[in-house]
Amino acid sequence: MPPCDLLIHSASQLLTLASGPQRGDKLGHLGIIEDGAIAINDGRIIAVGPSSDLHAQFAPRSTLDASHHVVLPGFVDPHTHLVWAGDRANEFEMRIAGASYMEIMAAGGGIMSTVRKTRAASVDQLVAETRPRLDRMLAHGTTTAEAKTGYGLETQAELRQLEAIARLDAEHPITLVPTFLGAHTVPEEYKGRQEAYVDLVANEMLPAVARAASPATRHTSLFCDVFCEEGAFTVSQSRRILERARELGFGLKIHADEFVGLGGTKLAVELGAASADHLVYTPEEDIEALGRGNTVAVGLPGTPFGLGQKDYTPAGAILKAGGILALATDLNPGTTWCESMQMVIALACRYMKLTPAQAIAAATINAAQAIGWADEVGSLEVGKRGDVIVLDAPDYRHLGYRYGTNLVRTVIKSGKIVVE
Ligand code: NIG
Ligand code: FE
């Protein structure tokens, strides 16, 4: 019998999420194998099936008995602002007292206050402040994550954020996919000179990032994102930056319709962006465009929850139009400091009206599609990375149903147990 490094067997439910990203009303197909097993060798999945079959096929070097436990792919978190310095607990209190997120930002707080602290931090400090967040993400079942810059807003400070992402990707079990977000806000020194800052992003930062990032991202992809919003960047400024990024070989993303529906989602579909994210106030015609295009709609229910707002991404309309829906945390110090995709699933079930099965597919295979990684991660299929989580629950519906505690019992990254 051929050997394998690890055989996980006897899962009450093994969720394969097999056969690719799930569009529209196809969302929620978990591909459940009861009494399921998975064999991993050299970091990759080599077989998936009923436990009895795999026991008969392989001589494992180690085994993991998952009796009474659900086994599923590690979560993919396709939208995080992972790397920053400091915190904004004071702004949380200001919001409780009635100030809005955009008012705080217009008064020089918000993103800019994190920018000041992040600019002052060395790469070592950024890595040290970020590492515990990654540890919490991993403990909660995330095995791949996107990570944005956007708290430097000057060329060297943006490059330091990218350097921190590359170092953490190399040292930490979580795979990180970098995104350049130089157009996160117009920094204070460019106040009143919006277009000059857009020029800087397009003509200086993007080429510098493309040059600097290529060795670090050889095995991965590199995205460019823009905060397209009233008080941040207009649709035409977003278009300029994203078109330049596309010329330079970046994949594209956009923050759209978080507070006002400006047309950023339609722009993303037109430009062939990998994803359009937030999508709370998305106009109907933009939702229709998502149904026709391949841009993934990423819902971030932690954000309205974190801000205490009542409106969430209209998942039902997006699915009805035939869109590809994913979920992410949006982890950041301003609107939502939450490392847990389990919490995001719980919120998506309640406020976006997803079933647990839909939310799980949105947090795995569709989330992988949002970062262009659906060939590598997001499902348990032969050839993919051995990124697997075991739940302390016998039925997948406990995800979503239960919240506020960690249901992940074991995390396996590329075939190695990294959390027990
Ligand atoms: O996605 N809206 C823009 N960016 C983040 C918030 C960043 C911050 O406040 O630091 C978001 O919500
Ligand atoms: Fe965001």
Side-chain angles (χ1 to χ4, degrees), residues 83 122-124 126-127 130 147-149 155-171 176 178-179 209 212-213 215-217 222:
V83 180
S122 65
V123 176
D124 284 345
L126 291 175
V127 166
T130 303
K148 299 179 198 297
T149 68
T155 307
Q156 290 311 314
E158 285 290 306
L159 291 175
R160 281 199 298 280
Q161 273 201 277
L162 274 176
E163 173 66 23
I165 293 167
R167 273 174 48 184
L168 288 160
D169 177 46
E171 73 162 53
L176 293 178
T179 295
V209 168
T217 57
L222 175 61

Side-chain angles (χ1 to χ4, degrees), residues 30-372:
L30 299 178
I32 300 177
I33 302 174
E34 281 173 16
D35 193 4
I38 174 168
I40 302 173
N41 202 48
D42 269 343
R44 299 262 166 192
I45 298 169
I46 57 167
V48 182
S51 295
S52 53
D53 289 9
L54 268 63
H55 276 308
Q57 259 176 282
F58 295 100
R61 283 182 269 270
S62 64
T63 58
L64 199 160
D65 183 349
S67 306
H68 311 297
H69 301 301
V70 176
V71 170
L72 72 157
F75 295 122
V76 177
D77 187 345
H79 182 137
T80 83
H81 303 254
L82 181 68
V83 180
W84 75 80
D87 68 70
R88 308 222 298 269
N90 61 324
E91 293 181 8
F92 177 56
E93 282 192 330
M94 287 163 73
R95 286 202 309 274
I96 292 170
S100 79
Y101 176 74
M102 291 312 263
E103 279 163 12
I104 294 169
M105 181 163 150
I111 294 171
M112 205 54 220
S113 94
T114 300
V115 168
R116 282 178 220 116
K117 292 182 195 124
T118 304
R119 282 177 176 176
S122 65
V123 176
D124 284 345
Q125 284 169 321
L126 291 175
V127 166
E129 284 203 40
T130 303
R131 193 182 290 120
R133 293 193 273 274
L134 273 178
D135 291 342
R136 282 188 290 271
M137 289 165 72
L138 187 69
H140 287 83
T142 297
T143 49
T144 301
E146 184 253 19
K148 299 179 198 297
T149 68
Y151 293 121
L153 309 189
E154 55 191 19
T155 307
Q156 290 311 314
E158 285 290 306
L159 291 175
R160 281 199 298 280
Q161 273 201 277
L162 274 176
E163 173 66 23
I165 293 167
R167 273 174 48 184
L168 288 160
D169 177 46
E171 73 162 53
H172 198 277
I174 295 184
T175 301
L176 293 178
V177 175
T179 295
F180 166 69
L181 177 59
H184 197 186
T185 188
V186 177
E188 51 203 355
E189 65 275 17
Y190 278 84
K191 211 164 182 174
R193 295 187 298 133
Q194 280 260 350
E195 287 297 327
Y197 186 67
V198 174
D199 287 342
L200 180 78
V201 172
N203 301 334
E204 181 181 311
M205 288 189 190
L206 273 171
V209 168
R211 274 194 306 275
S214 38
T217 57
R218 245 183 316 231
H219 64 292
T220 168
S221 15
L222 175 61
F223 289 93
C224 173
D225 191 349
V226 176
F227 186 19
C228 179
E229 187 67 46
E230 239 170 58
F233 297 89
T234 65
V235 173
S236 81
Q237 291 168 339
S238 303
R239 174 189 289 280
R240 241 182 89 203
I241 292 164
L242 293 175
E243 283 181 344
R244 181 81 183 106
R246 192 170 58 174
E247 279 165 25
L248 291 166
F250 287 77
L252 308 184
K253 292 182 167 282
I254 195 164
H255 279 67
D257 318 324
E258 182 175 355
F259 300 103
V260 183
L262 295 181
T265 298
K266 206 165 59 191
L267 174 70
V269 175
E270 180 202 320
L271 297 179
S275 73
D277 304 34
H278 283 289
L279 279 53
V280 177
Y281 298 104
T282 308
E284 221 175 278
E285 57 171 301
D286 291 36
I287 291 178
E288 296 300 324
L290 285 168
R292 291 189 300 273
N294 291 319
T295 299
V296 178
V298 180
L300 307 161
T303 307
F305 180 77
L307 293 172
Q309 293 176 348
K310 66 177 199 323
D311 295 325
Y312 286 77
T313 303
I318 292 170
L319 296 179
K320 186 155 175 270
I324 308 165
L325 183 73
L327 291 170
T329 59
D330 196 20
L331 169 62
N332 74 73
T335 59
T336 177
W337 187 332
C338 170
E339 285 95 346
S340 169
M341 288 295 284
Q342 296 174 62
M343 180 68 184
V344 167
I345 288 169
L347 293 171
C349 291
R350 283 163 188 76
Y351 298 112
M352 294 166 61
K353 305 288 174 223
L354 297 184
T355 63
Q358 290 176 319
I360 290 167
T364 53
I365 187 63
N366 281 12
Q369 178 72 3
I371 51 170

